Amino acid sequence: MPKGVKQKIMIKIKLNDEAYRYDVYHMFNLFYSFTNIDFVDKDYDYEVDIIKNKLSIKGKDEKFRNFKINNEVNIKEQVRESVFRYLKDRTGKELPWGILIGIRPTKIALDMMDRGLSEDEIIKFFKNKRFVREDKAKLCIDVAKVEKEKVNKDSKTISIYIGMPFCPTRCLYCSFASNPIRSCRNLVTPYLEALSYEIEEIKKFIEIKGLNIECVYFGGGTPTAINDEEFRSILCKIYESFVKGRAVKEFNVECGRPDSITEGKLKSMKEFNVNRISINPQTMNDDTLKAIGRNHTVQDIIDKFNLARELGFENINMDIIVGLPNEGLRHIEKTCSEILKLNPDSITVHGMSLKRASILHEQIFNKKLEMKQQDELIQMYEETAELAKRLDMKPYYMYRQKNMVGNMENVGYCKPNKEGLYNIEMIEDKQTIIALGADAVTKAVFLETNKIERFGNLKDVKEYINRIKEKVEGKIRFLEALYE
């Protein structure tokens, strides 16, 4: 956006044809993120008219700018292209992903590869038809190549997700089912009992149906938020039920917060054959850690990472978030510098996504916090891509989210043969994921028809505990349709 032009809190649009409301809304949302967009009949900021073979658009006190529309091809697509061109010129913003709003742009590249198109043809399509920057088009191709090799092709091979809905504290940006553990200690034991029941029943179902398990992912929340004894007990249950005696390729624990990681928990993970863990700093700046509600320091991250290495963990992921409140380029440079020294096996770079259920969403919309401008955010992303190169990592999975700061992407980079398989399977929608725990959503994939159906557990921890038998029975009935 040009200097001196302030971001509006509300954008009002007059649109003559409601059939194109969705398309117009999303193009404006790309350029005016974190702004309320409303469609009105008067007192508008922009007017959009779509009549016959023409789209006309103007801002207040402007003359109409006209774009040709070919009525014989996809009109909605042309509407998006025209509005995008207009807003790009008006705001001066460069959006690396162009008009793409879907969360899995790699699917486009993969589909085109399957149809026999060359890399040059795919890049040309992304650039000319979707206004995507060339490096982002190449990123889609690189990730699609990995996915094509690794993604599941067997309907009887599944993965397991187990959720722990507790955290040491709730981060400012969090929208997950995560409850600060100090305020709900009395729920931990009954939750673990309910989760153990669900594990046992799903184990029986898997054995009856003769299913193979590729990945087991223990996430949250923060699985390590509970104490050492509780953690060892539930980890043992998971191992005995889903890992022991099976050809599981990946047993992953999202340790997450260093203030929840202990030597005892790390030793339990080694004992039960966990072969991939995540220690997630998000940032290596103490002032930001404090601002987002984390009760640990950068030194704590370094110490716990080194302890995990000393105990023999050879596949450690670290997460970074670009666009955290009050963070600019110098903060990301420091984060990247510190992570380079630690030399993890993979990094996952997340763009800050403003979820409506987060405290941060409220503060941004109330203008209590400001986010960096597009040009600096692009530089911040480029810094993380350079970090990946210096660590000899390549991209292996990627997805996008709505309401992302800078309209960018989440990318997983890894060293050779250190891909997070669960991440690939989860994103590509080619494998059934049976999910256990509060707020966990099971995804049933019908490979032959590409149909996907979902079954969600109860989000509220108390309700999950109280209604566990009823919900497990419902889940097994749901899965029976897939394996009847």
Side-chain angles (χ1 to χ4, degrees):
M1 186 173 290
K3 289 181 180 178
V5 178
K6 289 188 177 181
Q7 178 88 329
K8 287 177 171 286
I9 297 174
M10 169 73 80
I11 296 288
K12 297 178 181 178
I13 304 167
K14 182 181 179 183
L15 175 65
N16 73 316
D17 193 334
E18 284 290 307
Y20 304 103
R21 180 177 177 134
Y22 177 89
D23 308 282
V24 171
Y25 170 85
H26 278 291
M27 291 305 99
F28 272 88
N29 193 50
L30 290 177
F31 288 90
Y32 294 103
S33 52
F34 319 128
T35 301
N36 291 312
I37 297 169
D38 199 10
F39 290 85
V40 299
D41 294 323
K42 58 184 180 180
D43 298 327
Y44 50 85
D45 301 299
Y46 292 93
E47 183 174 1
V48 182
D49 286 338
I50 304 160
I51 304 171
K52 292 183 180 178
N53 61 347
K54 184 175 70 173
L55 179 146
S56 302
I57 182 170
K58 73 180 186 76
K60 193 178 286 186
D61 303 323
E62 279 186 332
K63 291 182 179 178
F64 273 112
R65 183 173 169 187
N66 299 316
F67 296 85
K68 230 175 167 181
I69 297 290
N70 182 349
N71 289 313
E72 295 180 1
V73 294
N74 191 320
I75 297 176
K76 287 177 174 286
E77 188 174 296
Q78 293 177 80
V79 167
R80 291 195 293 269
E81 290 176 5
S82 301
V83 176
F84 182 90
R85 288 180 187 274
Y86 168 81
L87 290 173
K88 183 175 183 290
D89 290 344
R90 178 175 172 82
T91 65
K93 283 186 177 182
E94 293 290 335
L95 299 183
W97 284 102
I99 67 173
L100 289 184
I101 58 174
I103 65 173
R104 295 178 176 90
T106 54
K107 282 186 177 292
I108 299 171
L110 196 55
D111 288 343
M112 296 178 82
M113 287 166 62
D114 289 341
R115 298 202 313 267
L117 276 72
S118 69
E119 290 188 20
D120 287 343
E121 288 173 317
I122 296 171
I123 290 169
K124 186 177 179 180
F125 169 82
F126 272 106
K127 288 174 67 177
N128 296 343
K129 300 300 291 181
R130 297 295 181 266
F131 309 122
V132 173
R133 208 168 67 187
E134 185 167 336
D135 62 314
K136 299 302 180 187
K138 288 180 177 177
L139 173 63
C140 285
I141 292 170
D142 290 342
V143 172
K145 287 178 180 177
V146 177
E147 290 170 344
K148 192 169 186 177
E149 178 189 346
K150 301 283 185 182
V151 77
N152 177 62
K153 300 174 181 67
D154 175 19
S155 62
K156 298 206 80 174
T157 297
I158 65 163
S159 285
I160 298 287
Y161 173 86
I162 301 105
M164 179 64 68
F166 305 111
C167 274
T169 58
R170 187 176 180 86
C171 295
L172 197 67
Y173 52 78
C174 182
S175 65
F176 293 116
S178 57
N179 305 278
I181 198 161
R182 286 185 183 177
S183 62
C184 51
R185 273 296 325 175
N186 62 317
L187 292 177
V188 173
T189 296
Y191 177 77
L192 293 177
E193 289 172 352
L195 180 60
S196 295
Y197 172 81
E198 187 174 16
I199 289 170
E200 188 62 33
E201 294 304 304
I202 295 300
K203 171 195 170 186
K204 292 175 188 174
F205 176 83
I206 288 170
E207 289 174 349
I208 289 168
K209 297 299 181 181
L211 305 181
N212 306 308
I213 301 175
E214 181 179 44
C215 304
V216 177
Y217 190 100
F218 192 12
T222 306
T224 47
I226 55 181
N227 67 37
D228 286 22
E229 184 180 347
E230 292 163 337
F231 180 78
R232 187 184 184 283
S233 176
I234 195 65
L235 194 66
C236 177
K237 183 71 176 178
I238 295 167
Y239 170 76
E240 294 284 345
S241 302
F242 301 132
V243 180
K244 186 178 179 182
R246 302 178 189 272
V248 172
K249 293 179 182 177
E250 180 179 284
F251 186 10
N252 191 341
V253 176
E254 188 85 10
C255 302
R257 302 272 292 265
D259 46 336
S260 70
I261 300 170
T262 65
E263 184 173 353
K265 287 168 187 164
L266 289 169
K267 286 181 175 178
S268 292
M269 285 185 265
K270 288 300 292 183
E271 179 184 353
F272 296 117
N273 292 352
V274 172
N275 58 11
R276 188 176 189 269
I277 64 171
S278 289
I279 298 174
N280 299 331
Q282 317 300 11
T283 177
M284 297 294 266
N285 294 276
D286 282 325
D287 54 342
T288 308
L289 289 171
K290 185 176 180 181
I292 63 176
R294 290 197 159 211
N295 293 335
H296 65 82
T297 65
V298 170
Q299 191 58 50
D300 292 331
I301 297 164
I302 295 168
D303 291 344
K304 293 302 168 63
F305 183 94
N306 289 333
L307 176 60
R309 282 288 197 230
E310 289 168 12
L311 291 172
F313 285 93
E314 297 177 349
N315 194 351
I316 306 177
N317 174 73
M318 302 189 86
D319 282 7
I320 302 169
I321 296 180
V322 175
L324 285 167
N326 304 322
E327 284 217 339
L329 182 58
R330 67 177 181 85
H331 295 91
I332 285 292
E333 288 173 341
K334 182 176 184 296
T335 293
C336 291
S337 174
E338 293 296 327
I339 287 178
L340 180 65
K341 295 175 193 174
L342 293 174
N343 192 23
D345 305 286
S346 62
I347 58 172
T348 307
V349 180
H350 296 274
M352 184 73 258
S353 179
L354 285 188
K355 301 297 179 72
R356 291 187 180 276
S358 70
I359 301 169
L360 182 60
H361 181 276
E362 178 186 335
Q363 293 190 354
I364 291 294
F365 271 85
N366 290 333
K367 301 298 178 183
K368 292 181 180 178
L369 287 172
E370 294 292 332
M371 310 307 287
K372 294 297 179 182
Q373 293 297 314
Q374 184 71 32
D375 56 350
E376 187 169 1
L377 287 165
I378 289 172
Q379 287 180 286
M380 292 161 75
Y381 270 95
E382 289 171 349
E383 193 70 26
T384 63
E386 182 59 31
L387 168 65
K389 287 181 184 176
R390 295 177 73 184
L391 287 168
D392 192 29
M393 294 180 184
K394 292 183 178 180
Y396 75 92
Y397 94 111
M398 183 262 289
Y399 67 102
R400 304 180 69 226
Q401 292 171 276
K402 292 181 180 178
N403 299 318
M404 286 185 73
V405 170
N407 186 38
M408 297 294 274
E409 73 280 341
N410 302 321
V411 189
Y413 300 93
C414 70
K415 294 184 176 181
N417 302 313
K418 298 290 185 179
E419 295 90 355
L421 292 176
Y422 177 84
N423 292 332
I424 294 172
E425 301 295 12
M426 190 65 189
I427 289 301
E428 278 309 298
D429 288 338
K430 294 294 184 182
Q431 185 178 81
T432 292
I433 311 286
I434 301 181
L436 297 77
D439 201 30
V441 180
T442 292
K443 178 172 62 178
V445 176
F446 296 77
L447 277 179
E448 291 183 1
T449 60
N450 286 324
K451 184 175 75 169
I452 297 171
E453 294 184 358
R454 291 176 171 83
F455 182 96
N457 280 358
L458 293 161
K459 183 173 183 176
D460 182 82
V461 176
K462 290 181 181 177
E463 283 297 293
Y464 170 81
I465 294 165
N466 292 336
R467 297 173 59 189
I468 185 62
K469 291 187 178 181
E470 166 200 341
K471 296 301 286 186
V472 168
E473 288 170 4
K475 181 183 294 181
I476 289 173
R477 286 195 301 272
F478 166 78
L479 289 168
E480 285 282 1
L482 181 59
Y483 297 109
E484 59 185 5

